[in-house]
């Protein structure tokens, strides 16, 4: 976003943008997602690692990329189904077609299809998250091209 100033740069890592979101260059594959996860501040890095492992276990062959300073997860030929974004006190996990998931994730905004869940420290329900990830990966997702 124009006018957005970096907050901090860890000694050997990426700049952290407003709210602590790591600034990672647009790229495809696991490496930029792992760089993002490693740069997530505090407890959020452990959450990011656990979420990434859960997604990889739940969706064999999952595709990964970073766009707009956020990791995206998708299925080849189906599109992107989920992204992650760091905020000051929580991490937002957005399901692009989350309105079709059961139960529907609690967060909603202007996009009638997208739903999200805000994860606070210690708040990951792995069973529920795996259920949502499995369902989200089974429906057509976003095309980022």
């Amino acid at each position: 976003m124009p006018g957005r100033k970096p907050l901090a740069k860890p000694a050997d890592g990426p700049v952290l943008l407003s709210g602590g979101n790591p600034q990672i260059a647009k790229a495809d594959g696991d490496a930029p997602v792992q760089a993002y996860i490693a740069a997530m501040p505090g407890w959020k890095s452990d959450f990011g690692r656990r979420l990434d492992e859960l997604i990889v276990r739940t969706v064999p062959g999952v595709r990964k990329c970073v766009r707009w300073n956020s990791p995206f997860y998708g299925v080849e030929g189906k599109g992107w189904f989920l992204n992650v974004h760091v905020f000051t006190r929580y991490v937002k996990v957005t399901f692009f077609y989350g309105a079709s998931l059961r139960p529907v994730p609690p967060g909603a905004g202007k996009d009638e299809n997208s739903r999200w869940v805000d994860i606070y420290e210690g708040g990951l329900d792995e069973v529920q998250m795996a259920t949502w990830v499995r369902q989200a990966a089974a429906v057509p997702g976003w095309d980022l091209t």
Side-chain angles (χ1 to χ4, degrees), residues 5-62:
K5 294 180 182 177
L7 289 183
K9 181 174 182 176
D12 293 325
V15 168
L16 297 179
L17 300 170
S18 177
N21 195 53
Q23 185 176 31
I24 302 292
K26 174 182 173 179
D28 293 326
D30 185 56
V33 171
Q34 295 308 318
Y36 180 96
I37 291 168
M40 292 169 79
W43 64 267
K44 297 168 190 148
S45 184
D46 181 57
F47 164 76
R49 181 188 51 74
R50 289 174 54 211
L51 178 64
D52 183 74
E53 290 171 357
L54 181 149
I55 294 168
V56 168
R57 266 193 328 268
T58 306
V59 185
V62 69

Side-chain angles (χ1 to χ4, degrees), residues 59-122:
V59 185
V62 69
R63 295 176 60 208
K64 302 179 188 182
C65 74
V66 171
R67 299 288 189 277
W68 305 287
N69 300 306
S70 293
F72 282 71
Y73 294 84
V75 175
E76 185 71 41
K78 283 189 162 186
W80 304 96
F81 63 86
L82 175 151
N83 89 325
V84 176
H85 195 87
V86 169
F87 288 88
T88 303
R89 292 186 293 270
Y90 62 93
V91 178
K92 178 184 273 190
V93 179
T94 300
F95 298 94
F96 300 125
Y97 289 97
S100 68
L101 307 181
R102 296 295 175 256
V104 176
K110 292 178 183 178
D111 179 351
E112 65 185 37
N113 295 311
S114 294
R115 296 293 184 274
W116 61 82
V117 60
D118 297 335
I119 306 294
Y120 292 85
E121 186 171 7

